[in-house]
Amino acid sequence: EWSVLVTRPLSAGLLAAALWLFGSVRGEHADARLLQVTLAPAPSAVTSTQAVADARPATARPASHVAASAANPTRAPRQAVITVDAAAETEAERLERRAKLHELLHRLRGEPNVLLPFHQALALRPRGERHLGLRTIEVDKVVGSVDRYEDFDHRFLPKTPHTLERWKRLRALQLAGAEFPPIEVYQVGEAYFVKDGNHRVALAKATGQKFIDAHVIALDVPVPIEPGDTPKDLLLKAEYAHFLEKTRLKDLVPGAEEIRFTALGRYDRL
């Protein structure tokens, strides 16, 4: 059963699109899991056609396809490639529908659905940076990007056709047993912004990966960012950082409690 709560006025076109999208997702997933799309974990290596075929959904793997490969070993490498590409294509289609659904839900709620841009983090008046080297970081704490924040939504789901195509190619390589190099990130407080490796992060998030290796550069900021911060939170924290810089409050009163507002422009008045 579906339960939809509409809290904002909708045009007929938007409502029709919502109903169509709900219907298409429900039609593909009999268990009606609307928001949770689970992708197959990447195998450590591909050793046979059957191993690759097992990574695909059962409905997308004809029995004759696997049987033909087993009967003719010389065809196995090509069949394996075709099977990996087909599996990646299927998962990319699911991911595209999931991204459209999240975009629609955020519009209905009036909430932003964007990655945090790194230039807003720079407004926090960083006092310097430190190279921390290679670290293992939590994927869920990667919340922004240096220059690709318009290509993904705030869950790192691809928003553009070329971004989705790139994701699909990486997923096919992953299913074939490929290993990827570490990403590069800036650490600002408890959050991370991708300098290099946006598509690898998108792949990690979509497949449920918990940790990822990264070369980390930490910024020393007076007001740290947290993974759950919104674009508005970053603007408020940037105003607070400017306030602290102008008043030197933490230098003059080291034990002073934090002053936090929920409306923009209050620090200037203070």
Side-chain angles (χ1 to χ4, degrees):
E1 295 183 358
W2 297 83
S3 177
V4 181
L5 175 62
V6 178
T7 58
R8 304 181 67 204
L10 296 178
S11 66
L14 185 58
L15 183 57
L19 295 177
W20 174 84
L21 187 56
F22 291 165
S24 66
V25 174
R26 187 179 182 182
E28 168 132 359
H29 304 289
D31 56 359
R33 287 177 295 179
L34 180 60
L35 297 181
Q36 298 299 323
V37 178
T38 303
L39 304 182
S44 57
V46 174
T47 57
S48 68
T49 304
Q50 182 63 47
V52 179
D54 287 342
R56 299 178 58 198
T59 56
R61 184 173 67 253
S64 59
H65 179 83
V66 178
S69 300
N72 188 357
T74 60
R75 296 181 58 192
R78 177 169 176 77
Q79 295 286 5
V81 171
I82 293 175
T83 305
V84 165
D85 289 342
E89 177 73 29
T90 299
E91 294 185 5
E93 290 175 356
R94 293 178 182 174
L95 200 70
E96 183 179 22
R97 286 193 292 271
R98 182 181 173 189
K100 290 180 179 178
L101 177 59
H102 281 302
E103 177 66 23
L104 180 60
L105 292 177
H106 278 269
R107 287 188 179 184
L108 294 176
R109 298 168 182 162
E111 298 173 349
N113 186 30
V114 295
L115 280 180
L116 298 182
F118 182 65
H119 65 80
Q120 287 190 3
L122 295 178
L124 296 176
R125 304 298 204 275
R127 296 183 287 257
E129 63 180 44
R130 294 175 292 118
H131 289 259
L132 303 182
L134 183 62
R135 301 287 181 91
T136 299
I137 65 174
E138 295 182 45
V139 174
D140 286 344
K141 291 186 177 181
V142 182
V143 299
S145 176
V146 173
D147 55 5
R148 302 298 295 273
Y149 48 86
E150 294 182 344
D151 293 342
F152 303 88
D153 69 9
H154 87 288
R155 290 181 176 86
F156 258 99
L157 296 176
K159 295 176 63 177
T160 62
H162 75 272
T163 303
L164 183 65
E165 182 65 25
R166 173 64 174 163
W167 185 97
K168 182 175 67 176
R169 292 199 299 267
L170 286 180
R171 180 57 173 161
L173 290 173
Q174 188 181 56
L175 288 172
E179 295 184 1
F180 304 120
I183 63 174
E184 297 180 20
V185 298
Y186 286 102
Q187 180 180 357
V188 186
E190 295 296 321
Y192 298 94
F193 293 78
V194 181
K195 179 182 179 184
D196 179 63
N198 292 278
H199 294 87
R200 280 167 276 166
V201 172
L203 183 62
K205 284 180 176 283
T207 56
Q209 187 174 326
K210 299 298 182 183
F211 300 94
I212 191 170
D213 291 335
H215 295 287
V216 181
I217 302 174
L219 299 186
D220 181 18
V221 293
V223 186
I225 296 177
E226 299 175 359
D229 283 348
T230 65
K232 180 182 177 181
D233 293 329
L234 258 64
L235 293 175
L236 288 168
K237 289 186 175 184
E239 288 189 354
Y240 186 34
H242 180 70
F243 170 81
L244 293 175
E245 181 181 73
K246 290 297 184 181
T247 62
R248 297 178 54 234
L249 179 62
K250 288 190 175 182
D251 295 330
L252 299 174
V253 188
E257 295 185 4
E258 292 188 352
I259 304 172
R260 295 298 179 91
F261 291 111
T262 58
L264 297 172
R266 302 296 185 181
Y267 291 105
D268 288 338
R269 295 179 61 182
L270 184 61

